[in-house]
């Protein structure tokens, strides 16, 4: 068994909050540059060029690449050989978020009650998801999620008879409804199976997959490619101003489900696909 002090998480979470908002992954910036070459629309090219320069400027100057620094989603894969000591785990995570958003001059966007709408003032509480895995390590992913993309996400309970074509129809319908509101070019996470709530989690988990890494199952890889092609035929383009590049990637995650169910969730991520990861 490996003992870890929960207090040790605080500076890690703090730094991951800042890094996620300041530094877009190299693979994402490279994909934007590749998309710039592929884009035929003059306005679309101008938008992509600005997004690339914005990402580079944010990293160089250690400032947020987008003013919407999101609600903080924290996913932790915890090895079953880990024993926690110290303060309550969720409290440690939230303290890290509190410090990160304070020291990093990141916008506080969380309201304590969804109806009363009073800002908590420190971007807590974070949305925390934990999974137990093999081993004695802890993988931490901090993913700030802006409202522009999150608000355009959808879930639908299809029937098994709807099959792949029903899934494609629903995903494309979701992208068309989103239009430019989700700040394309997008990364599109699709969760299929499980239950209603689990499909939603799968679609968010799909957004954590490295850019360009296809699903290992052949039929799902094929569906990802078909969806990406169809999405990029919509003409929505960068920031919804028209063009070829509406999405950079489509990632599908699945889970077994009931014989009478086919839950499908689409979680959209904007062009600033922000997440930072550390394993301890």
């Amino acid at each position: 068994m490996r003992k870890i002090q929960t207090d040790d998480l605080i500076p890690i979470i703090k730094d991951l909050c800042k890094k996620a908002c300041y530094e877009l992954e190299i693979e994402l910036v490279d994909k934007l540059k590749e998309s710039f070459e592929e884009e035929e629309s003059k306005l679309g090219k101008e938008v992509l060029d600005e997004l690339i320069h914005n990402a580079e400027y944010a990293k160089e100057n250690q400032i947020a690449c987008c003013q919407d620094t999101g609600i903080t989603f924290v996913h932790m894969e915890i090895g079953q050989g880990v024993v926690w000591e110290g303060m309550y785990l969720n409290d440690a995570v939230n303290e890290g978020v509190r410090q990160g958003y304070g020291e990093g001059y990141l916008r506080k966007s969380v309201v304590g009650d969804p109806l009363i709408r009073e800002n908590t003032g420190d971007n807590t509480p974070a949305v925390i998801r934990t999974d137990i895995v093999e081993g004695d390590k802890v993988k931490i992913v901090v993913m700030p999620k802006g409202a522009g993309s999150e608000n355009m996400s959808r879930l639908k309970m299809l029937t098994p008879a709807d099959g792949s074509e029903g899934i494609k129809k629903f995903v494309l319908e979701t992208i068309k409804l989103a239009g430019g509101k989700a700040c394309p070019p997008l990364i599109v996470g699709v969760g299929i199976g499980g239950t209603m709530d689990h499909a939603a989690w799968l679609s968010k988990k799909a957004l954590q997959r490295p850019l360009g890494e296809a699903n290992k199952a052949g039929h799902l890889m094929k569906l990802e490619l078909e969806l990406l092609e169809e999405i990029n035929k919509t003409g929505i383009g960068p920031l919804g101003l028209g063009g070829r590049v509406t999405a950079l990637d489509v990632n599908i995650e699945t889970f077994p489900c009931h014989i009478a169910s086919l839950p499908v969730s689409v979680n959209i991520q904007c062009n600033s696909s922000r997440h930072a990861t550390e394993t301890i």
Side-chain angles (χ1 to χ4, degrees), residues 54-217:
N54 180 72
E56 292 171 343
Y57 187 87
K59 182 177 181 179
E60 181 182 350
N61 293 276
Q62 292 292 281
I63 58 175
C65 64
C66 176
Q67 52 81 26
D68 185 353
T69 51
I71 187 169
T72 314
F73 180 81
V74 180
H75 178 212
M76 303 177 69
E77 292 184 349
I78 303 170
Q80 66 177 359
V82 170
V83 175
W84 295 104
E85 293 185 337
M87 65 193 302
Y88 177 46
L89 178 61
N90 283 15
D91 288 346
V93 171
N94 282 315
E95 181 57 30
V97 171
R98 184 177 295 111
Q99 291 185 18
Y101 274 72
E103 293 182 17
Y105 297 99
L106 305 176
R107 195 184 81 181
K108 289 77 175 175
S109 303
V110 174
V111 294
D113 185 291
L115 298 180
I116 296 173
R117 314 293 298 180
E118 182 178 351
N119 199 297
T120 62
D122 57 12
N123 224 61
T124 69
V127 177
I128 303 170
R129 171 85 186 207
T130 58
D131 289 322
I132 303 300
V133 297
E134 293 181 357
D136 63 356
K137 298 187 185 309
V138 180
K139 179 182 177 183
I140 307 163
V141 180
V142 171
M143 185 167 72
K145 199 66 166 63
S149 57
E150 190 74 2
N151 288 354
M152 295 298 105
S153 301
R154 300 170 75 216
L155 182 143
K156 189 172 184 178
M157 302 301 289
L158 301 181
T159 66
D162 290 319
S164 295
E165 289 305 310
I167 292 168
K168 287 170 66 174
K169 181 180 177 181
F170 174 63
V171 174
L172 287 168
E173 179 184 271
T174 299
I175 300 302
K176 290 174 183 177
L177 284 172
K181 297 174 185 176
C183 297
L186 313 167
I187 287 85
V188 182
V190 181
I192 305 171
T195 53
M196 179 192 72
D197 56 311
H198 197 67
W201 157 235
L202 290 172
S203 65
K204 191 172 292 295
K205 183 180 181 181
L207 298 176
Q208 298 176 30
R209 192 194 304 167
L211 198 64
E213 184 180 296
N215 195 297
K216 290 179 175 57

Side-chain angles (χ1 to χ4, degrees), residues 167 190-194 199 202-203 220 223 252-256 262-265:
I167 292 168
V190 181
I192 305 171
L202 290 172
S203 65
L220 296 176
L223 185 55
I252 297 174
E253 294 291 333
T254 64
F255 192 83
L262 183 59
V264 181
S265 173

Side-chain angles (χ1 to χ4, degrees), residues 234-246:
T234 61
I236 294 169
L239 294 187
L241 298 175
R244 291 185 60 185
V245 184
T246 300

Side-chain angles (χ1 to χ4, degrees), residues 219-234:
H219 66 295
L220 296 176
M221 182 191 300
K222 180 174 180 288
L223 185 55
E224 288 175 342
L225 292 171
E226 289 174 351
L227 281 168
L228 182 60
E229 183 179 355
E230 290 301 316
I231 290 169
N232 284 331
K233 286 180 180 178
T234 61

Side-chain angles (χ1 to χ4, degrees), residues 39-48 179-180 184-185 232 234-246:
E39 183 56 70
E40 296 175 349
S41 161
K42 181 176 182 294
L43 188 53
K45 276 185 171 291
E46 290 177 5
V47 169
L48 289 167
N232 284 331
T234 61
I236 294 169
L239 294 187
L241 298 175
R244 291 185 60 185
V245 184
T246 300

